[in-house]
Amino acid sequence: MEQVLNYINGTLLPAVGGGWLDDHAPATGAVHAHIADSDERDVELAVQAATKALPAWKALGTQGRSDLIMRVADLMERDLEALAKAESIDNGKPIALARRMDIPRAISNFRFFAGAVLHWNSDAHLMDDVAINYTDRQPVGVAGCISPWNLPLYLFTWKIAPALAAGCCVVAKPSEITPYTAFLLSRLCIEAGLPPGVLNIVHGLGPKVGAAITAHPGVPAISFTGGTRTGAEIARVAAPMFKKLSLELGGKNPVVIFDDCDFEEMLTSVLRSSFTNQGQICLCSSRILVQRGIYERFKQAFVERVKAMRVGDPADPTTDLGAVVSEAHMTKVLGHIALAREEGGTVLCGGERVLLDGPLRNGWYIAPTVIEGLGPECRTNQDEIFGPVVTLQPFTDDAEALALANSTSYGLASVLWTSNVKRAHRMARDLHSGIVWVNCWLVRDLRTPFGGMKQSGVGREGGHEALRFFTEAKNVCIRL
Ligand code: TXE
């Protein structure tokens, strides 16, 4: 069986403690690899290697670092198909999605930040005849990057690429549920000639490996994407150590549909924003708010289209929804559907596990589910479900739409569908969310600030925001 090894100081290694964890394929439920079950000893080795590598990595300069990061991206592109297959097996997502989105985006993350750092400039503040101030930005040091299972290589690289480009060395931990493509990346880094210790990847459980990275005094910055509860635990440990923190957490995103929208375009997009990756994207819209004038028309058309979606083998390129990521996650999502029924919701379609045949009979599949009849306060419309489950709620006017949209403790991404430009601007301004898409979804420009408000997180990633996070600003004031 394949072994997912740590990548520490340029070498692939088992965990110091010698233990292994199982890596499951959600499509079948079977174990397809064993993962190094690391702990604080492995993290210690990784931090030591990263600290040692730091001076030479900084001294290589922006162009030198950029060239090496580009080389890794080129190798990822060469191996795109193998990476896409691995991601689909490890995560359960449709192969077509991994080919079209996950792996191309992981490659873009490397290329984008390798380019961005070459075009970055610092500020100067001139004080007439008194002095010149300029902002010097040095890498923060060893950066800790902890990523989740929903977009494994995509989000892993979204963190490590800016950190490396900014001149940091990295100790990174992918999710123990989907570690495989990060392991393949470590092999490519060796092939690309990335100097030992510049990137270290430690596999294993969050409370062991993630917690050890968070608590390590030699890691002054932590970039984390994952659940809100884990984010709170990381903040609790890191804040008294005055670490820099970037936390990208959960969401309960609204899509607000006004009756003046382009109906067909909206319908196709809302299907995607509801069920892409089985609804396991922090940007997926899980609360669909529809103006009363088109509520019944939308409901009928939407449910019809959802019923036609194919839940099936992730390896089949025609599959719309693959498996959800784990048995525990499937149980959690099904529990939320049961709760929605208890709360008085009506399940318009889906609502149950899908049992497939043959080798897929033990896989973790859930039918895309649409629920109506629940108000904004119930748990179904408050808790992040993070699966193929959406609710419908009607509204009358802009004020009610806004109140419903802002009625959760999260604030990550909102979508507006309207042809009224003034309304779009007004709503975009007043929505409590870090990202607003108008008449589109998941259109991503990597230069834009990315992140959420309220319980969706702290800080912004993307473009210069990420480069700023991984550097310390120092004002240098020179008397004239
Ligand atoms: O995520 P965790 P889980 C949401 C979603 C999901 C819920 C829980 O609602 O159902 O979170 O998912 C590492 N110190 N999102 O429990 O545990 C862990 O090993 C440091 C939203 O699977 O937060 C993994 O690498 N690290 C989300 C990473 O944290 C720790 C994506 C994320 O896993 C740790 C995923 C600790 N004490 C889930 N404990 C999004 N925002 O996109 C765990 N980890």
Side-chain angles (χ1 to χ4, degrees):
M1 179 139 329
E2 187 86 57
Q3 292 182 330
V4 172
L5 298 165
N6 290 334
Y7 171 49
I8 297 176
N9 204 21
T11 309
L12 298 175
L13 299 165
V16 172
W20 299 96
L21 301 164
D22 288 340
D23 188 4
H24 291 90
T28 59
V31 175
H32 76 98
H34 289 140
I35 313 160
D37 180 12
S38 313
D39 59 28
E40 72 280 358
R41 292 169 290 178
D42 305 273
V43 170
E44 182 58 41
L45 291 176
V47 175
Q48 281 176 16
T51 309
K52 195 163 139 240
L54 207 48
W57 185 239
K58 259 170 77 172
L60 195 56
T62 335
Q63 185 69 57
R65 293 197 296 270
S66 174
D67 290 347
L68 269 169
I69 297 168
M70 285 288 189
R71 203 176 300 162
V72 178
D74 291 345
L75 294 178
M76 287 165 78
E77 184 151 56
R78 182 198 68 191
D79 289 358
L80 194 152
E81 184 57 23
L83 288 165
K85 268 192 190 143
E87 201 71 296
S88 173
I89 291 170
D90 214 21
N91 172 277
K93 68 178 68 213
I95 178 84
L97 186 67
R99 275 188 194 128
R100 187 177 73 238
M101 184 179 80
D102 291 76
I103 308 306
R105 174 56 195 278
I107 297 165
S108 297
N109 288 338
F110 270 80
R111 292 204 172 126
F112 173 82
F113 283 108
V117 76
L118 297 178
H119 302 275
W120 200 27
N121 47 17
S122 65
D123 293 327
H125 300 87
L126 311 181
M127 300 170 69
D128 298 324
D129 296 333
V130 182
I132 298 174
N133 298 276
Y134 66 86
T135 312
D136 177 43
R137 286 196 168 269
Q138 294 295 321
V140 71
V142 177
C145 297
I146 303 173
S147 60
W149 44 258
N150 55 330
L151 303 170
L153 195 62
Y154 174 137
L155 289 176
F156 191 66
T157 52
W158 178 237
K159 296 182 179 303
I160 63 179
L164 295 174
C168 294
C169 290
V170 173
V171 176
K173 192 198 101 59
S175 170
E176 61 274 29
I177 303 174
T178 53
Y180 202 78
T181 46
F183 169 61
L184 296 181
L185 176 69
S186 57
R187 282 187 181 155
L188 296 182
C189 289
I190 294 170
E191 188 181 342
L194 198 71
V198 165
L199 171 64
N200 304 275
I201 302 177
V202 186
H203 293 280
L205 300 171
K208 278 160 78 175
V209 177
I213 295 172
T214 306
H216 200 294
V219 181
I222 305 286
S223 174
F224 169 80
T225 299
T228 294
R229 207 177 298 163
T230 314
E233 168 62 14
I234 288 174
R236 190 188 65 74
V237 174
M241 299 174 83
F242 306 110
K243 297 192 179 206
K244 287 185 99 174
L245 274 183
S246 172
L247 304 174
E248 299 298 334
L249 310 175
K252 189 73 181 173
N253 305 314
V255 49
V256 185
I257 303 169
F258 289 94
D259 55 16
D260 61 2
C261 70
D262 179 326
F263 191 85
E264 286 308 317
E265 203 185 339
M266 173 275 296
L267 191 61
T268 304
S269 175
V270 175
L271 275 177
R272 280 183 58 233
S273 67
S274 302
F275 299 116
T276 299
N277 207 39
Q278 297 74 247
Q280 303 166 127
I281 302 182
C282 54
L283 304 168
C284 277
S285 30
S286 51
R287 293 181 297 136
I288 305 178
L289 314 177
V290 192
Q291 201 160 19
R292 285 187 194 277
I294 56 165
Y295 184 84
E296 285 304 322
R297 180 181 170 208
F298 173 81
K299 178 172 129 181
Q300 205 183 345
F302 186 66
V303 169
E304 196 178 303
R305 294 275 291 268
V306 175
K307 281 182 177 163
M309 293 183 98
R310 288 196 52 236
V311 178
D313 186 354
D316 178 343
T318 66
T319 288
D320 295 310
L321 282 87
V324 299
V325 78
S326 66
E327 188 170 21
H329 193 59
M330 178 182 71
T331 305
K332 178 191 144 175
V333 174
L334 292 173
H336 276 286
I337 298 171
L339 177 67
R341 287 193 167 102
E342 277 169 36
E343 289 183 315
T346 305
V347 175
L348 300 175
C349 63
E352 76 271 310
R353 181 175 181 180
V354 175
L355 293 168
L356 299 177
D357 296 330
L360 307 178
R361 68 185 173 281
N362 294 322
W364 305 313
Y365 300 89
I366 299 178
T369 300
V370 183
I371 298 168
E372 75 164 350
L374 291 172
E377 307 81 21
C378 65
R379 277 191 52 202
T380 305
N381 278 322
Q382 289 292 329
D383 297 353
E384 185 181 46
I385 299 175
F386 216 64
V389 181
V390 295
T391 63
L392 305 186
Q393 294 175 75
F395 68 85
T396 304
D397 54 17
D398 293 25
E400 192 185 3
L402 193 64
L404 284 174
N406 287 341
S407 67
T408 73
S409 56
Y410 294 105
L412 188 54
S414 304
V415 182
L416 293 175
W417 284 95
T418 178
S419 55
N420 181 331
V421 177
K422 283 187 186 171
R423 167 192 277 156
H425 282 298
R426 256 194 334 264
M427 292 284 295
R429 183 196 58 203
D430 294 338
L431 281 164
H432 300 163
S433 69
I435 299 157
V436 179
W437 276 295
V438 180
N439 298 332
C440 60
W441 177 70
L442 208 57
V443 175
R444 290 281 293 118
D445 180 329
L446 303 190
R447 295 170 299 179
T448 58
F450 179 92
M453 336 181 148
K454 302 196 281 186
Q455 295 207 12
S456 288
V458 175
R460 294 291 180 273
E461 299 182 331
H464 289 173
E465 300 275 355
L467 294 175
R468 277 195 280 270
F469 176 76
F470 289 111
T471 53
E472 282 283 15
K474 182 190 292 169
N475 187 61
V476 180
C477 178
I478 303 173
R479 180 95 209 198
L480 289 178

